Amino acid sequence: MTLQVRRWRHHLATLLAACCIFPAQAHAPAGGAPIELHLVAFNDFHGNLEASKFNYLGADNKPASTQAGGVDTLAAALQAWRREDRELLLVAAGDLVGASPALSSMWADEPSIAAMNLLHLDASAVGNHEFDHGRAELLRQQNGGCASLYEDKACKLAPTFEGAKFPYLGANVFDSASGQPLLPAYRIVQAHGVKVGVIGAVLHDVPSVVLASAIVGLRFDDEAQAINKVVPELKAQGVNVFVVLIHEGGHTVERFDARDCSALKGPIVDIVKRLDPAIRLVVTGHSHQGYQCKVDGRVVTQAAMGGQVLSRIRLSLDPKTQAVRDIDVQNVPMLAGQYPPDPAAQAFMARVRERSAQALARPVARLAVRSTTRRGNAAGESALGDLIADAELAAVADQGGQICFMNVGGIRKDLDVGEDLVATYGHAQAVMPFSNTLTIMNMNAAQIRAVLEQQWTDNGEVNSTLQVSHGFRYRFDRTRPAGQRVLDMTLNGVALDEAKPYRIVANNFLAEGRDGFTAFRAATNKMDTSIVDLDALIGHLIRRDRAGKPAGAAQPAERFAPAH
């Protein structure tokens, strides 16, 4: 056992010991003792039915990783915690599906909805990925049925699909023509005689992170205003305890399990500061980071992603007024074997794995290394980003493609394989689960520079880093004024010609100007090639293997770097 593993085991033991200090309280207490409500929260499950790699800062504040999550592990933990409190509430902050590994996505994410039902989820905010395939598919996931644009996937795991037994909540999502809400704004749940108002919302900037065609006719309003609007309505129904589930988040340099973190940054901070004073607990998502923070006296949580962490939350209430006296949060990593198994969850996962095994296990190609990571270097370039950009460029080589750009948000997992170095279809699909198609277009040097400049905010902070294909290089200086940070650009060692158009390839999401890269909208002669990005990756891996030069690398190729 390595020193790192021993440290993790010690750290975990401390966490697990701490996670069980919440005493069960089956009924409202007598006298002046507080009423205690217990919630468990998570976010951004993204169809991760099985355990995945959890990257975290260890007790020594150094990066570490372990396998965490999985439906059977979550079910075991919840089963144990419900024995302590049978009225425990389970809530989520969106993106339960979408960008999912093949075990879920190959069945139109129906297994993930079924898993949420199995876990007895009480409510979830809607996330941006719930809109990936349009409102009709979102409503099918909610209500059930087999009528889907994805006839090859829907109702293929089982002959029927019942839909979600929990409500998706979206207080700020409206039909733009009628003005009517698409989803309920809230759900009232009861525990220990207390009415709890659970309010859901999604980031108002959904149009920047979802294909325009998927959200036609929908409006996304300001999050805080929409949440505050329903508070009086809930109060009129006797609700004194409010829990906000919002698919928007932030970042902090503090550990995922740091108590009362105080360095939270990002859009969620402004939203929380504008919420009604009656709201004391905000469960967040979207940024895929674990934290337990305080913002203006309110508790703001997030539980990493993929079910790798669950947030255990205890609310202490005044027994007479039901006013919230105190809130305690503990982010608990979900490691296998820590709780007695849940037989129903084990049986469910066995059925899904058995039905999926043949397709997922299909070998694709041999790689050069066991792990090609999406983790970026100091400049933001990753070895996996290099590989994907090269793969997409190679897919359109016969159409004159010269430079490829890839968004980091479209790379969902590291490309990790076993000791035999053989990548399967399941490995590849987990990396690129969106099924975006490749767009080829004309852009001149000024337009390319404008795209690259959008990687930084006006004050020089990183917005999002584009991965680039081989042959294209540039240098940058973030300390220079906005619009002047890209210093030079070359293709195959030659400076870009300002008067010459170049054939650029990107997935259709980027080509639409999403993820903040609106400069792509100025491109001309756009053509959707109908080549699916996953097919491009798999084809590239196969060609490299057959040529005796397996793809993959441990380190990025340093195609872009700071000037000093």
Side-chain angles (χ1 to χ4, degrees), residues 11-89:
H11 183 53
L12 174 64
T14 303
L15 285 173
L16 292 176
C19 81
C20 299
I21 66 171
F22 294 164
Q25 198 146 22
H27 305 285
I35 302 171
E36 290 191 349
L37 303 183
H38 296 95
L39 288 82
V40 174
F42 64 100
N43 53 277
D44 298 274
F45 183 71
H46 286 296
N48 279 269
L49 298 171
E50 298 188 292
S52 57
K53 185 161 66 175
F54 173 39
N55 297 313
Y56 63 97
L57 283 179
D60 56 2
N61 284 321
K62 292 183 179 180
S65 66
T66 190
Q67 290 294 111
V71 169
D72 40 5
T73 299
L74 298 181
L78 289 166
Q79 175 181 254
W81 297 343
R82 285 182 172 123
R83 285 176 180 150
E84 299 174 16
D85 183 356
R86 60 184 176 84
E87 297 186 50
L88 176 148
L89 302 175

Side-chain angles (χ1 to χ4, degrees), residues 140-153:
R140 186 184 81 88
Q141 290 170 356
Q142 177 72 84
N143 302 317
C146 298
S148 172
L149 293 173
Y150 301 92
E151 295 179 357
D152 59 327
K153 299 180 178 180

Side-chain angles (χ1 to χ4, degrees), residues 124-256:
S124 177
V126 68
N128 55 283
H129 281 286
E130 269 82 19
F131 293 96
D132 279 348
H133 303 298
R135 77 162 86 182
E137 187 65 8
L138 165 58
L139 294 177
R140 186 184 81 88
Q141 290 170 356
Q142 177 72 84
N143 302 317
C146 298
S148 172
L149 293 173
Y150 301 92
E151 295 179 357
D152 59 327
K153 299 180 178 180
C155 293
K156 294 296 188 291
L157 180 66
T160 60
F161 175 57
E162 296 181 354
K165 295 180 181 179
F166 58 90
Y168 273 118
L169 306 176
N172 63 331
V173 186
F174 298 90
D175 182 285
S176 53
S178 68
Q180 294 300 306
L182 179 69
L183 300 163
Y186 61 83
R187 181 187 183 188
I188 298 175
V189 293
Q190 194 154 329
H192 301 300
V194 177
K195 287 184 176 181
V196 180
V198 182
I199 309 170
V202 65
L203 69 157
H204 82 277
D205 203 22
V206 167
S208 73
V209 293
V210 172
L211 288 171
S213 57
I215 52 173
V216 170
L218 293 179
R219 188 184 85 225
F220 299 88
D221 288 358
D222 178 85
E223 306 94 336
Q225 291 177 10
I227 292 167
N228 290 342
K229 187 175 181 180
V230 303
V231 170
E233 186 177 334
L234 285 166
K235 287 182 175 178
Q237 298 179 68
V239 172
N240 292 314
V241 178
F242 303 90
V243 178
V244 166
L245 312 175
I246 180 168
H247 193 72
E248 179 61 289
H251 295 86
T252 178
V253 295
E254 295 153 296
R255 293 202 317 269
F256 76 97

Side-chain angles (χ1 to χ4, degrees), residues 294-561:
K294 288 284 185 69
V295 176
D296 277 6
R298 307 175 206 260
V299 173
V300 183
T301 75
Q302 190 171 150
M305 62 84 62
Q308 297 162 345
V309 171
L310 292 181
S311 297
R312 295 196 71 182
I313 305 169
R314 180 181 61 188
L315 291 87
S316 297
L317 313 181
D318 185 284
K320 294 182 179 179
T321 66
Q322 296 185 356
V324 177
R325 287 180 174 177
D326 186 48
I327 302 174
D328 186 61
V329 183
Q330 295 169 2
N331 276 349
V332 183
M334 290 290 100
L335 300 180
Q338 301 301 320
Y339 301 96
D342 180 322
Q346 288 185 315
F348 169 78
M349 287 303 299
R351 288 196 301 272
V352 176
R353 290 184 181 114
E354 183 180 3
R355 290 279 283 116
S356 310
Q358 185 174 354
L360 293 177
R362 176 170 61 86
V364 169
R366 190 171 183 272
L367 303 185
V369 295
R370 283 194 63 177
S371 180
T372 303
T373 181
R374 62 178 179 153
R375 185 178 296 173
N377 60 12
E381 181 185 358
S382 72
L384 187 52
D386 291 345
L387 173 58
I388 291 171
D390 289 350
E392 294 184 354
L393 181 63
V396 297
D398 59 348
Q399 301 180 52
Q402 295 173 285
I403 302 171
C404 176
F405 294 108
M406 177 64 195
N407 58 312
V408 293
I411 308 173
R412 307 307 291 191
K413 301 280 185 183
D414 293 346
L415 183 53
D416 292 334
V417 298
E419 292 183 3
D420 61 0
L421 300 181
V422 174
T424 64
Y425 174 81
H427 290 138
Q429 196 279 340
V431 171
M432 302 187 72
F434 289 107
S435 296
N436 288 324
T437 55
L438 302 184
T439 297
I440 193 164
M441 52 198 154
N442 283 2
M443 299 183 76
N444 60 34
Q447 292 167 334
I448 294 170
R449 183 178 292 105
V451 164
L452 294 174
E453 290 283 349
Q454 290 183 324
Q455 295 177 113
W456 306 285
T457 63
D458 287 346
N459 63 7
E461 296 297 318
V462 176
N463 178 29
S464 182
T465 303
L466 291 171
Q467 307 299 294
V468 304
S469 53
H470 68 90
F472 180 71
R473 294 181 179 272
Y474 69 92
R475 295 182 308 132
F476 63 90
D477 184 349
R478 285 170 50 192
T479 66
R480 293 171 63 88
Q484 301 177 34
R485 292 172 178 143
V486 177
L487 302 184
D488 52 54
M489 303 179 293
T490 62
L491 180 60
N492 299 322
V494 179
L496 294 195
D497 187 337
E498 297 291 334
K500 176 183 175 182
Y502 293 87
R503 290 296 272 169
I504 307 300
V505 61
N507 61 53
N508 57 330
F509 177 79
L510 264 186
E512 280 193 3
R514 306 297 162 179
D515 260 1
F517 292 101
T518 56
F520 277 113
R521 295 173 185 167
T524 59
N525 294 334
K526 283 188 177 181
M527 182 185 74
D528 190 324
T529 66
S530 298
I531 298 171
V532 176
D533 52 7
L534 176 59
D535 294 340
L537 175 60
I538 289 174
H540 183 66
L541 298 181
I542 291 172
R543 287 190 298 272
R544 289 286 300 270
D545 187 18
R546 288 177 178 173
K549 299 178 180 179
Q555 300 295 329
E558 298 187 5
R559 296 171 180 176
F560 51 91

